[in-house]
Amino acid sequence: LGKISDISKLSSKLFDQLLALSSTDNNEGDSGGRDYTRVSILQTLLGIHQQYKSQISDLSADDGKKRRKRSRSHSDVGSTKSLATQANMLVGIVGGNPSTINPLHSGRGRSLALSLLTCLCEESPATVSSSLLPALMSIAGKHSSNDKGEQARDGVGVDSRVLADALAAIIPAYCAHAKSADLSLFSLIESFVGKVIVPENGNGKLRTHLIDPFVNALKLLPTKEDSIDAIASLAASVLALQAFDLNNEAQTAGGDEANSAKLNCHVLATSPSGIKVPISLLLLKYAEQLMAVICGASSFSADESSSNLKAGMSEVASLALRGSNIGDDIPSSYSDCSVSQQRSILYLAICLLEMVRDVTGTNAVKRLLRKSQGDDADVSLRLWQELLQAHMHALRAHAKLAGEGELRRKEQKFWTAVPVAISECLENIQGLLPVPHFLASVSSTLADESTDTYMRKKTVRLLADRVAEVSLDSAEASLFLEMVPELVAQVGTAQPSVASDDEEAVAALKRNIIMQQGALVALESFVRSLCPASEKSKLTSKAADAFVPALESVTKLFSGTAASWSKQSDEDDVEMLGIKDAECQLLSSSSLCLASLVAVLKARCLPLLPSIVKPLISSLKSVNLLVENIEFQAESSESMLQIAILRLLETLAENLPQFLPPYLPLIFSKNALPSRALRRGDHALKEATERVESALASKTPIRQLTPALSKALSNTLVNSDDDDSNDWEEACSILGVINASVGTSERSELPPVIGKIFNVLVAAYSYEGRDECKSRLLSDANKVLLSLVMKLSESQLRQLYARLREWRGDIKEDDDNSEQSCSRRVAFWTLSAALSKSLRSIFLPCLTSVLTDVIDELEIAVSLLCQRPKHDGSKRRRVDEDSDSDSSVDDNSEVSPLQPLLLCLESALKADAHEGGDWTRGDDNQRYNMILSHLGKLLMAHVPKDLPVLSDLSQKEDAVTSSYQKLVEGQGTLEHGNVAGCLTALATAAGNEQLWKPLNFAVLEACSHKRSEVRRAGISCLLSIIETVGEEYMVLLPECLPVLSELLEDGDEEIAGMAKECVRQGEELLGESLEDSLR
């Protein structure tokens, strides 16, 4: 064979002979011999075409050129037909056309036929392309008989290596020349996936051993872009047909178990890591197009950018809608689909997103993203930006459909799951993108004002998340610092007010506020990450310089927004509630951002301090008034604004305390920091307020803080006498700050401010309001007094106490201003009780200085409570004296100092008893006798039922307990002062039999009284003295036995019980029975 034309003729004759032997019309004779002959011919043909492949290809090309020059003739057509006939015959030999060609049963024969078909494809691809599709389907069908893809034996399947070689030759040739045959890659995929997915076995099993060689063949396409398009189309198509089959299974089962089934796709597992990111981008675009169809914004027939090697969305969707039923029509829109078809589309869309999520979450792709450069980095950024847009479109579509009420349960679940899946994708890649490319993309997005507001805000949020991972000493820190001016540009300034009826202007204002808020949050994150306040270094100082312009811009925004929001809060325009709430949130964000900036810049904030503090306090007042008038939830915008303002105020107090004194009167003005709105309900708000007060008290020198607080307290209590006023609560807050300031100050700092603190105390003690309000205010003022006293010397204490006594004034029953005098007396003895309880014996010299006042107060109480009014008839008088009915006093305020006085005296006597009782027995026992004389009389007092008495009783217990029982007997008043407790302390301090005798006589006299309440108080007092004094008091027990004997038979069981307890205590202390003595 000297010429190539002769070789071509020989090949044609061998093919003719092979066709004759393979035809189903020739079934006579020995089939084994025919198959052996066919295998021999195939081997010969394969040898010829492998050896002369290039020459035959050139000959085919030359013939093609000559045929184009000549007119189309019958011979030309016949030549083309002969090549197609040869390809079809080889397809039949491997089993593709059993009706006309007898297939070979040996694996070797099939492998030879496939190899020969590959050679023909390489020699004349354009001519053979139309025959390749059935060939491939036949190959897949034969190979599927061996699911594991092992080495084929005779009569069983096709060898995996031969299959891979055939696909590697046939598929690239098909893709290169399918267009000339009016075919596309999808034509191949559409037929192939039917062999990959096996629906008839009931579980939609995926034959991965068929996918691997197919994907490997697609990798061999001429360009990387072609391989990417082809593999993405294959992956989407496999998912689509799986979605169709999975949906049919769910319908057959009659349930929704398939909803949670995860569609498996093996395509990307075989793909190289280097192309997985661009493939993910294409899959994401498929998902976006499907979402547009699902929400009604597009249709399946919409124009799309499909190509010969990339399947269009409608082509992929057709597999999910009709399965492998090629040729069936598909609906034009999602609404025209049946319920089953809609389920398939929903499955496909969500699983495409899940595939992107799974791919971007693999370690290989993460490493690729982290190290990507050039074009790879650009693709990664495009994927990131596409995910942002997809997330935005999904949220908007969900909101739109939900607002129109068109969502069914399946769609509701779908639109809920989509943003979650996209967010997970973003989380996978946003921290791995190369910093320069990422920042360039962010900068480009922010600079383009035509970009959607949501997209820009989401970009800024991701920027804030990314900067949180950056260290100040890293090389990336400088790149992020260069982004600060762009964020500052997004902050801008406060927008002017708009009319409520201008919907377009209102919408634009809301979009602008959203963008500003996102920029503020990002700036705050930049400051915390790139310029941490806890670190002090050259790097920190250099980084802080970049934030000075940001401070100016944020301050302007804060000031303007504060003025606008305060104005809006004063108006009741319902249509502007949305703007008002948005401005409230913007004000919160700007406050928090300013707090972070101030913590870093410190003294560099001084020029802007007036522009910060004044609108800050103005906003605090406005929001406090708003919250006081309306009940807000803890998570409301107003509550968040309060916390944000307090955070900024705390930062100012911590970092610039020496520059705040000029603003202290403003900070502690009415409805500002002392407002009760900051102490209501929310625990976080209370804690924030306490932190601010603590910072101001500890950081600001007391000499600067006290004058402002003194003035603030005076202003607060000016109009607080009104019963409806709650200013006393603000006064309590101011007292709390003073107390903290005194507690944190050095002793040497206090002498210059004692006068100011004294004025504060006097203002609080002079308060004339409701009893419960006054009690709270007195308690807080006493805390300040005790904090001060603990840092004074004894001489300073006596001087201060003398000044307080002087302020109280003289004790006179006929005082012209009796009400004010009584109020001051109550305050004085309340503070004396607090000092006595805390200072113990140290306070006794102070008490000595007012002992005459103590006796005067006791005399007043005796004169008012122990003298019965005269009656006309003696019989009526006897009845009144015998009854437990309460007396009445013309003015209860005259008796109100008695209880705090008793508490003061009881504490002093207990302290003296601990020191030996010398103070009590002073002045030759005169002090003791004067006190005992009046206390003994008070045991038989007639206490008015309407006399206010402080107690620890519950409301229910208080209702059934008389004023006498509380004030005299001591029920519920152990911590507030009572007569019985004071007598017990007096007995303890007396310390000898000589002084106990008159006391015991007074107590026994009460035990023998005709009024049961007096007897109860007397026996209760006696029991308390026995328990307290103990064995030493038993010398007086013989005097008590006659009275105890009578009380054992008292009609009041409670009195008899206490008498019995006294006897038991006596017997226990004496060690002998008293039964004979009681007869």
Side-chain angles (χ1 to χ4, degrees):
L1 297 176
K3 299 179 181 179
I4 192 65
S5 58
D6 296 334
I7 295 174
S8 178
K9 290 178 182 179
L10 175 62
S11 173
S12 298
K13 290 186 178 294
L14 289 174
F15 268 113
D16 292 340
Q17 186 62 39
L18 182 62
L19 177 61
L21 291 172
S22 301
S23 174
T24 55
D25 296 333
N26 186 13
N27 289 328
E28 298 178 358
D30 183 13
S31 60
R34 277 200 310 274
D35 286 351
Y36 178 79
T37 304
R38 286 195 292 168
V39 170
S40 300
I41 293 175
L42 284 170
Q43 188 170 5
T44 303
L45 284 170
L46 180 61
I48 292 172
H49 283 270
Q50 284 180 339
Q51 185 173 354
Y52 299 101
K53 183 190 303 181
S54 59
Q55 294 93 326
I56 294 174
S57 298
D58 294 338
L59 179 63
S60 299
D62 293 339
D63 289 344
K65 292 179 181 178
K66 293 177 181 178
R67 284 195 300 270
R68 282 193 295 271
K69 292 180 180 177
R70 298 196 305 265
S71 61
R72 295 186 61 187
S73 64
H74 180 72
S75 60
D76 296 333
V77 178
S79 176
T80 303
K81 286 184 176 180
S82 64
L83 288 172
T85 301
Q86 292 170 4
N88 287 330
M89 178 186 60
L90 293 175
V91 171
I93 287 176
V94 297
N97 190 10
S99 61
T100 58
I101 300 295
N102 287 316
L104 279 172
H105 297 292
S106 75
R108 180 169 176 268
R110 292 196 197 94
S111 298
L112 289 170
L114 284 175
S115 300
L116 182 57
L117 183 62
T118 301
C119 290
L120 289 179
C121 184
E122 294 173 350
E123 293 168 5
S124 183
T127 305
V128 183
S129 293
S130 59
S131 302
L132 294 181
L133 190 58
L136 289 173
M137 294 309 100
S138 176
I139 293 169
K142 290 297 180 182
H143 193 64
S144 66
S145 63
N146 185 7
D147 278 349
K148 295 184 180 179
E150 292 110 345
Q151 184 74 18
R153 300 180 179 88
D154 285 348
V156 181
V158 176
D159 189 285
S160 297
R161 180 181 56 79
V162 175
L163 172 67
D165 293 342
L167 292 177
I170 293 173
I171 289 180
Y174 176 89
C175 293
H177 302 282
K179 189 173 183 180
S180 62
D182 198 21
L183 296 172
S184 67
L185 177 64
F186 181 73
S187 304
L188 174 61
I189 292 175
E190 186 178 27
S191 301
F192 181 76
V193 291
K195 301 294 183 180
V196 176
I197 307 295
V198 190
E200 62 268 15
N201 66 1
N203 60 6
K205 180 181 177 182
L206 185 65
R207 288 175 175 166
T208 57
H209 60 279
L210 292 178
I211 288 182
D212 294 347
F214 198 98
V215 174
N216 290 330
L218 292 177
K219 297 177 190 176
L220 302 176
L221 294 181
T223 66
K224 180 180 178 181
E225 289 73 18
D226 290 343
S227 295
I228 291 170
D229 289 345
I231 294 175
S233 300
L234 175 62
S237 299
V238 171
L239 275 182
L241 192 58
Q242 277 188 289
F244 175 81
D245 293 333
L246 191 60
N247 182 43
N248 288 340
E249 292 169 21
Q251 283 187 314
T252 304
D256 294 336
E257 291 80 9
N259 287 349
S260 59
K262 184 180 184 300
L263 297 183
N264 177 30
C265 184
H266 190 72
V267 177
L268 294 185
T270 313
S271 305
S273 298
I275 64 173
K276 285 184 178 180
V277 174
I279 289 176
S280 297
L281 178 59
L282 292 178
L283 294 177
L284 177 62
K285 290 182 177 179
Y286 281 131
E288 285 186 280
Q289 292 171 339
L290 287 173
M291 286 191 291
V293 172
I294 293 170
C295 70
S298 181
S299 64
F300 293 117
S301 58
D303 292 337
E304 47 190 328
S305 57
S306 61
S307 66
N308 190 49
L309 295 180
K310 184 175 77 172
M313 180 273 293
S314 60
E315 294 173 328
V316 173
S318 66
L319 291 176
L321 293 171
R322 57 173 169 75
S324 57
N325 300 321
I326 300 175
D328 291 355
D329 294 333
I330 64 172
S332 60
S333 65
Y334 179 78
S335 59
D336 295 335
C337 295
S338 65
V339 174
S340 173
Q341 290 175 326
Q342 289 179 350
R343 286 162 59 97
S344 295
I345 294 298
L346 295 176
Y347 289 159
L348 175 58
I350 193 63
C351 289
L352 284 169
L353 292 174
E354 289 177 350
M355 182 186 288
V356 175
R357 178 199 63 194
D358 294 341
V359 170
T360 55
T362 59
N363 292 330
V365 172
K366 286 182 178 180
R367 287 193 297 270
L368 180 69
L369 288 170
R370 190 178 291 111
K371 298 178 181 180
S372 60
Q373 297 178 351
D375 293 340
D376 291 338
D378 293 338
V379 173
S380 300
L381 283 174
R382 285 172 54 200
L383 176 60
W384 178 67
Q385 292 171 338
E386 200 71 31
L387 284 168
L388 287 176
Q389 290 185 355
H391 194 266
M392 173 190 67
H393 294 154
L395 291 176
R396 288 188 171 176
H398 188 190
K400 178 177 178 293
L401 295 174
E404 296 173 355
E406 297 181 0
L407 285 181
R408 290 173 295 181
R409 187 169 65 91
K410 288 292 181 186
E411 282 83 0
Q412 178 66 42
K413 291 178 65 176
F414 171 79
W415 288 114
T416 302
V418 164
V420 175
I422 297 175
S423 296
E424 291 173 348
C425 295
L426 286 170
E427 291 175 3
N428 286 339
I429 69 172
Q430 68 187 22
L432 303 173
L433 295 175
V435 170
H437 293 78
F438 172 76
L439 294 181
S441 175
V442 171
S443 179
S444 175
T445 302
L446 295 180
D448 187 2
E449 295 184 358
S450 62
T451 305
D452 185 85
T453 302
Y454 174 84
M455 178 80 168
R456 295 166 68 195
K457 181 184 177 183
K458 185 72 173 178
T459 302
V460 170
R461 183 179 299 174
L462 294 176
L463 176 64
D465 294 341
R466 187 70 182 268
V467 77
E469 303 170 359
V470 177
S471 174
L472 180 60
D473 56 357
S474 66
E476 299 172 343
S478 59
L479 297 177
F480 277 94
L481 282 173
E482 293 175 1
M483 289 295 299
V484 173
E486 298 193 34
L487 288 176
V488 172
Q490 298 300 319
V491 171
T493 58
Q495 299 296 311
S497 301
V498 297
S500 59
D501 55 352
D502 190 348
E503 295 182 0
E504 196 170 315
V506 170
L509 180 57
K510 286 183 178 180
R511 289 195 297 269
N512 186 63
I513 290 175
I514 290 173
M515 196 61 225
Q516 289 175 322
Q517 196 169 355
L520 289 169
V521 173
L523 270 177
E524 188 181 358
S525 183
F526 267 62
V527 174
R528 286 199 305 266
S529 301
L530 302 180
C531 198
S534 58
E535 295 184 15
K536 294 182 180 180
S537 63
K538 291 183 179 180
L539 289 174
T540 307
S541 178
K542 183 178 178 180
D545 294 338
F547 293 104
V548 174
L551 175 67
E552 297 175 357
S553 181
V554 176
T555 300
K556 290 180 181 179
L557 175 65
F558 175 75
S559 179
T561 306
S564 175
W565 180 79
S566 297
K567 181 180 178 182
Q568 293 283 353
S569 63
D570 293 336
E571 299 175 357
D572 295 330
D573 190 349
V574 178
E575 297 181 0
M576 295 299 288
L577 286 178
I579 293 294
K580 178 182 173 182
D581 189 63
E583 287 186 340
C584 183
Q585 295 179 22
L586 180 61
L587 197 55
S588 299
S589 299
S590 56
S591 299
L592 294 174
C593 187
L594 276 176
S596 298
L597 289 169
V598 169
V600 168
L601 300 177
K602 293 181 172 57
R604 280 180 277 192
C605 302
L606 289 179
L608 298 172
L609 194 58
S611 301
I612 295 175
V613 176
K614 291 179 180 179
L616 177 71
I617 302 304
S618 175
S619 300
L620 182 60
K621 287 183 175 183
S622 298
V623 70
N624 285 343
L625 285 172
L626 193 62
V627 171
E628 276 190 5
N629 297 330
I630 305 174
E631 289 293 333
F632 285 96
Q633 296 180 355
E635 299 296 329
S636 67
S637 299
E638 287 74 14
S639 296
M640 294 298 102
L641 176 57
Q642 287 176 305
I643 293 176
I645 290 175
L646 291 172
R647 162 83 181 281
L648 176 53
L649 198 53
E650 179 188 0
T651 305
L652 290 170
E654 290 282 354
N655 294 278
L656 302 171
Q658 63 272 39
F659 302 103
L660 282 184
Y663 307 101
L664 290 176
L666 184 62
I667 293 173
F668 289 100
S669 60
K670 183 177 174 60
N671 295 318
L673 184 60
S675 174
R676 68 191 185 104
L678 299 175
R679 295 160 179 82
R680 290 171 50 185
D682 189 9
H683 181 67
L685 185 59
K686 291 179 182 178
E687 283 190 343
T689 305
E690 290 172 0
R691 288 196 302 270
V692 174
E693 293 176 343
S694 176
L696 288 169
S698 59
K699 298 291 184 178
T700 308
I702 193 170
R703 68 179 186 278
Q704 296 175 329
L705 185 62
T706 304
L709 292 175
S710 176
K711 184 177 180 181
L713 185 72
S714 300
N715 293 336
T716 301
L717 295 177
V718 166
N719 298 318
S720 61
D721 292 344
D722 183 4
D723 287 344
D724 296 330
S725 173
N726 291 307
D727 291 346
W728 65 272
E729 295 185 55
E730 295 194 4
C732 290
S733 303
I734 296 173
L735 289 172
V737 178
I738 297 175
N739 183 38
S741 180
V742 171
T744 56
S745 299
E746 296 294 332
R747 180 172 296 182
S748 59
E749 297 177 305
L750 292 177
V753 296
I754 290 179
K756 289 289 185 182
I757 297 176
F758 177 80
N759 293 337
V760 169
L761 294 173
V762 166
Y765 290 142
S766 301
Y767 174 73
E768 299 288 344
R770 299 191 303 271
D771 290 340
E772 62 271 17
C773 306
K774 185 174 182 179
S775 176
R776 166 75 185 281
L777 199 60
L778 287 178
S779 175
D780 289 348
N782 288 338
K783 291 178 183 177
V784 176
L785 177 62
L786 288 173
S787 297
L788 177 62
V789 165
M790 292 300 179
K791 297 194 175 183
L792 299 179
S793 63
E794 290 191 36
S795 61
Q796 289 175 318
L797 168 62
R798 288 194 290 270
Q799 292 174 10
L800 178 62
Y801 193 72
R803 292 183 64 183
L804 289 170
R805 180 183 183 279
E806 182 181 355
W807 162 79
R808 184 208 64 192
D810 295 332
I811 299 175
K812 298 179 180 178
E813 290 187 72
D814 56 350
D815 195 336
D816 294 336
N817 195 1
S818 176
E819 185 174 349
Q820 182 180 8
S821 174
C822 291
S823 177
R824 292 190 177 190
R825 284 157 53 199
V826 170
F828 179 78
W829 293 119
T830 300
L831 70 89
S832 297
L835 291 174
S836 177
K837 189 173 182 179
S838 298
L839 302 179
R840 300 181 65 80
S841 61
I842 298 175
F843 179 70
L844 292 176
C846 293
L847 186 59
T848 303
S849 66
V850 295
L851 186 59
T852 57
D853 297 336
V854 172
I855 303 303
D856 289 342
E857 290 285 6
L858 291 174
E859 286 180 354
I860 292 174
V862 169
S863 65
L864 293 175
L865 299 179
C866 298
Q867 293 183 5
R868 298 293 299 173
K870 295 182 179 180
H871 300 280
D872 295 336
S874 59
K875 182 177 180 180
R876 180 179 177 183
R877 181 176 182 178
R878 285 195 303 271
V879 171
D880 287 340
E881 290 179 347
D882 294 343
S883 67
D884 289 344
S885 59
D886 296 319
S887 176
S888 62
V889 178
D890 294 337
D891 187 2
N892 285 337
S893 62
E894 285 290 337
V895 189
S896 56
L898 177 60
Q899 190 177 21
L901 170 64
L902 292 172
L903 179 61
C904 172
L905 197 56
E906 180 181 352
S907 300
L909 292 171
K910 286 180 179 179
D912 183 50
H914 186 72
E915 298 294 330
D918 292 338
W919 183 86
T920 303
R921 296 188 295 271
D923 297 334
D924 196 19
N925 297 331
Q926 290 184 16
R927 189 175 297 164
Y928 172 83
N929 292 326
M930 286 189 295
I931 295 173
L932 174 60
S933 171
H934 295 90
L935 291 180
K937 294 176 182 178
L938 288 174
L939 279 175
M940 292 169 280
H942 292 268
V943 182
K945 62 181 180 181
D946 58 346
L947 180 69
V949 180
L950 295 177
S951 71
D952 296 324
L953 298 175
S954 64
Q955 186 175 2
K956 184 177 181 180
E957 292 172 333
D958 189 73
V960 297
T961 306
S962 67
S963 298
Y964 178 91
Q965 290 175 297
K966 290 183 285 187
L967 182 62
V968 179
E969 187 178 341
Q971 291 192 22
T973 56
L974 295 179
E975 299 297 326
H976 301 281
N978 59 83
V979 175
C982 200
L983 278 169
T984 302
L986 183 62
T988 307
N992 61 66
E993 180 183 354
Q994 181 184 357
L995 297 179
W996 284 334
K997 280 185 174 290
L999 187 148
N1000 190 58
F1001 177 80
V1003 172
L1004 293 177
E1005 185 179 8
C1007 292
S1008 304
H1009 202 274
K1010 295 181 180 181
R1011 287 165 50 204
S1012 61
E1013 63 180 6
V1014 178
R1015 296 197 303 275
R1016 189 185 306 110
I1019 190 61
S1020 173
C1021 183
L1022 179 61
L1023 178 60
S1024 176
I1025 292 172
I1026 293 174
E1027 290 175 341
T1028 305
V1029 177
E1031 186 176 355
E1032 295 178 8
Y1033 198 77
M1034 290 299 97
V1035 296
L1036 301 176
L1037 186 59
E1039 298 179 9
C1040 302
L1041 291 177
V1043 177
L1044 290 175
S1045 178
E1046 293 181 6
L1047 293 179
L1048 288 172
E1049 299 177 359
D1050 196 279
D1052 190 326
E1053 294 181 359
E1054 186 178 357
I1055 295 174
M1058 285 189 285
K1060 187 176 182 179
E1061 179 63 19
C1062 287
V1063 173
R1064 190 193 68 79
Q1065 291 275 2
E1067 290 177 338
E1068 184 176 330
L1069 292 171
L1070 292 173
E1072 60 183 36
S1073 175
L1074 298 175
E1075 185 176 352
D1076 295 337
S1077 302
L1078 292 171
R1079 292 178 180 176

